[in-house]
Short mmCIF file of all heavy atoms in Angstrom, two decimals:
data_model
loop_
_atom_site.label_atom_id
_atom_site.label_comp_id
_atom_site.label_asym_id
_atom_site.label_seq_id
_atom_site.Cartn_x
_atom_site.Cartn_y
_atom_site.Cartn_z
N GLN A 80 3.69 -38.50 59.39
CA GLN A 80 3.85 -37.71 58.11
C GLN A 80 4.67 -38.55 57.20
O GLN A 80 4.37 -38.48 55.93
CB GLN A 80 4.35 -36.39 58.37
CG GLN A 80 3.50 -35.47 59.25
CD GLN A 80 2.08 -35.15 58.80
OE1 GLN A 80 1.07 -35.06 59.51
NE2 GLN A 80 1.79 -35.22 57.47
N LEU A 94 -4.81 -40.23 50.89
CA LEU A 94 -5.30 -41.17 51.94
C LEU A 94 -6.86 -41.44 51.66
O LEU A 94 -7.23 -42.55 51.81
CB LEU A 94 -5.14 -40.58 53.35
CG LEU A 94 -5.57 -41.47 54.52
CD1 LEU A 94 -4.87 -42.88 54.52
CD2 LEU A 94 -5.28 -40.85 55.88
N ASN A 114 -14.54 -37.25 59.12
CA ASN A 114 -13.50 -36.42 58.86
C ASN A 114 -13.88 -34.95 58.43
O ASN A 114 -13.16 -33.95 58.58
CB ASN A 114 -12.71 -36.93 57.61
CG ASN A 114 -11.75 -38.09 58.17
OD1 ASN A 114 -10.77 -37.84 58.73
ND2 ASN A 114 -12.26 -39.31 57.88
N ALA A 117 -13.96 -33.18 61.53
CA ALA A 117 -12.62 -32.84 61.88
C ALA A 117 -12.06 -31.58 61.16
O ALA A 117 -11.35 -30.66 61.72
CB ALA A 117 -11.67 -33.97 61.68
N MET A 118 -12.43 -31.50 59.81
CA MET A 118 -11.92 -30.35 59.05
C MET A 118 -12.64 -29.09 59.48
O MET A 118 -11.94 -28.02 59.51
CB MET A 118 -12.33 -30.64 57.51
CG MET A 118 -11.63 -31.81 56.97
SD MET A 118 -9.86 -31.93 57.05
CE MET A 118 -9.57 -33.67 57.27
N THR A 121 -10.92 -27.95 62.67
CA THR A 121 -9.75 -27.35 62.32
C THR A 121 -9.86 -25.87 61.86
O THR A 121 -9.20 -24.95 62.31
CB THR A 121 -8.96 -28.15 61.19
OG1 THR A 121 -8.72 -29.47 61.55
CG2 THR A 121 -7.58 -27.48 60.84
N GLY A 220 -3.05 -33.83 71.60
CA GLY A 220 -4.28 -33.66 70.81
C GLY A 220 -4.22 -32.66 69.78
O GLY A 220 -4.65 -32.67 68.68
N ILE A 223 -1.00 -33.92 66.95
CA ILE A 223 -1.24 -34.92 65.91
C ILE A 223 -2.62 -34.74 65.42
O ILE A 223 -3.72 -34.95 66.06
CB ILE A 223 -1.16 -36.28 66.57
CG1 ILE A 223 0.09 -36.50 67.46
CG2 ILE A 223 -1.25 -37.43 65.37
CD1 ILE A 223 1.33 -36.30 66.55
N MET A 224 -2.89 -34.24 64.19
CA MET A 224 -4.19 -33.79 63.68
C MET A 224 -4.48 -34.65 62.32
O MET A 224 -3.62 -34.70 61.47
CB MET A 224 -4.37 -32.37 63.49
CG MET A 224 -4.30 -31.60 64.78
SD MET A 224 -4.53 -29.85 64.61
CE MET A 224 -2.95 -29.40 63.93
N PRO A 225 -5.71 -34.99 62.12
CA PRO A 225 -6.04 -35.78 60.90
C PRO A 225 -5.82 -35.14 59.62
O PRO A 225 -5.34 -35.58 58.59
CB PRO A 225 -7.56 -36.07 61.06
CG PRO A 225 -7.85 -35.96 62.51
CD PRO A 225 -6.90 -34.93 63.02
N HIS A 226 -6.15 -33.72 59.57
CA HIS A 226 -6.03 -33.04 58.28
C HIS A 226 -4.63 -33.03 57.72
O HIS A 226 -4.48 -32.92 56.48
CB HIS A 226 -6.63 -31.63 58.39
CG HIS A 226 -5.82 -30.53 58.91
ND1 HIS A 226 -5.46 -30.49 60.34
CD2 HIS A 226 -5.10 -29.59 58.35
CE1 HIS A 226 -4.54 -29.51 60.54
NE2 HIS A 226 -4.46 -28.93 59.38
N ASN A 227 -3.61 -32.91 58.61
CA ASN A 227 -2.31 -33.00 58.08
C ASN A 227 -1.86 -34.20 57.36
O ASN A 227 -1.12 -34.14 56.41
CB ASN A 227 -1.39 -32.74 59.32
CG ASN A 227 -1.17 -31.30 59.68
OD1 ASN A 227 -1.31 -30.41 58.78
ND2 ASN A 227 -0.99 -30.95 60.89
N VAL A 228 -2.43 -35.45 57.82
CA VAL A 228 -2.14 -36.63 57.24
C VAL A 228 -2.68 -36.63 55.72
O VAL A 228 -2.10 -37.14 54.92
CB VAL A 228 -2.67 -37.76 58.04
CG1 VAL A 228 -2.34 -39.07 57.49
CG2 VAL A 228 -1.94 -37.81 59.47
N TYR A 229 -4.08 -36.29 55.71
CA TYR A 229 -4.61 -36.19 54.33
C TYR A 229 -3.94 -35.27 53.41
O TYR A 229 -3.66 -35.54 52.25
CB TYR A 229 -6.13 -35.89 54.50
CG TYR A 229 -7.05 -36.88 54.99
CD1 TYR A 229 -7.43 -37.02 56.24
CD2 TYR A 229 -7.49 -37.90 54.07
CE1 TYR A 229 -8.20 -38.13 56.83
CE2 TYR A 229 -8.36 -38.84 54.53
CZ TYR A 229 -8.69 -38.94 55.93
OH TYR A 229 -9.45 -39.91 56.38
N LEU A 230 -3.56 -34.05 53.99
CA LEU A 230 -2.95 -33.13 53.15
C LEU A 230 -1.61 -33.61 52.62
O LEU A 230 -1.41 -33.39 51.43
CB LEU A 230 -2.74 -31.75 54.05
CG LEU A 230 -2.20 -30.68 53.36
CD1 LEU A 230 -3.02 -30.11 52.35
CD2 LEU A 230 -1.87 -29.51 54.50
N SER A 334 -7.32 -29.37 52.63
CA SER A 334 -7.68 -30.71 53.23
C SER A 334 -9.01 -31.14 53.03
O SER A 334 -9.34 -32.35 52.88
CB SER A 334 -7.23 -30.58 54.72
OG SER A 334 -5.85 -30.31 55.00
N ALA A 388 -12.93 -32.94 68.93
CA ALA A 388 -13.44 -33.34 67.64
C ALA A 388 -12.29 -33.96 66.79
O ALA A 388 -12.42 -35.05 66.14
CB ALA A 388 -14.11 -32.27 66.88
N LEU A 389 -11.20 -33.40 66.83
CA LEU A 389 -9.95 -33.91 66.18
C LEU A 389 -9.51 -35.23 66.77
O LEU A 389 -9.12 -36.13 66.05
CB LEU A 389 -8.90 -32.92 66.11
CG LEU A 389 -9.03 -31.57 65.48
CD1 LEU A 389 -7.96 -30.55 65.66
CD2 LEU A 389 -9.29 -31.70 64.01
N SER A 390 -9.61 -35.27 68.04
CA SER A 390 -9.21 -36.54 68.71
C SER A 390 -10.07 -37.69 68.39
O SER A 390 -9.59 -38.86 68.22
CB SER A 390 -9.21 -36.33 70.15
OG SER A 390 -8.34 -35.28 70.71
N ILE A 391 -11.32 -37.47 68.28
CA ILE A 391 -12.37 -38.53 67.87
C ILE A 391 -12.01 -38.90 66.46
O ILE A 391 -12.14 -40.16 66.10
CB ILE A 391 -13.84 -38.01 67.96
CG1 ILE A 391 -14.15 -37.69 69.40
CG2 ILE A 391 -14.82 -38.90 67.36
CD1 ILE A 391 -15.45 -37.01 69.70
N ALA A 392 -11.70 -38.14 65.55
CA ALA A 392 -11.40 -38.53 64.15
C ALA A 392 -10.08 -39.17 63.93
O ALA A 392 -9.90 -39.87 62.93
CB ALA A 392 -11.50 -37.31 63.28
N LEU A 393 -9.18 -38.95 64.91
CA LEU A 393 -7.89 -39.47 64.63
C LEU A 393 -7.67 -41.02 64.41
O LEU A 393 -7.01 -41.39 63.52
CB LEU A 393 -6.91 -39.09 65.79
CG LEU A 393 -5.47 -38.94 65.62
CD1 LEU A 393 -5.15 -38.06 64.40
CD2 LEU A 393 -4.73 -38.56 66.84
N PRO A 394 -8.31 -41.82 65.27
CA PRO A 394 -8.15 -43.29 64.98
C PRO A 394 -8.60 -43.64 63.57
O PRO A 394 -8.05 -44.64 62.89
CB PRO A 394 -9.04 -43.95 66.08
CG PRO A 394 -9.21 -42.89 67.06
CD PRO A 394 -9.09 -41.64 66.36
N THR A 396 -8.22 -42.17 60.96
CA THR A 396 -7.27 -41.65 59.99
C THR A 396 -5.97 -42.55 60.15
O THR A 396 -5.50 -42.93 58.98
CB THR A 396 -6.90 -40.13 60.33
OG1 THR A 396 -8.07 -39.35 60.23
CG2 THR A 396 -5.83 -39.70 59.39
N LEU A 397 -5.41 -42.63 61.42
CA LEU A 397 -4.10 -43.30 61.52
C LEU A 397 -4.17 -44.79 61.31
O LEU A 397 -3.25 -45.31 60.71
CB LEU A 397 -3.53 -42.92 62.83
CG LEU A 397 -3.33 -41.46 63.15
CD1 LEU A 397 -2.72 -41.33 64.43
CD2 LEU A 397 -2.44 -40.82 61.95
#
Side-chain angles (χ1 to χ4, degrees):
Q80 297 301 148
L94 181 60
N114 283 285
M118 300 304 148
T121 302
I223 315 295
M224 293 184 289
H226 81 285
N227 277 329
V228 177
Y229 283 97
L230 182 64
S334 301
L389 295 175
S390 299
I391 294 171
L393 202 55
T396 302
L397 298 186

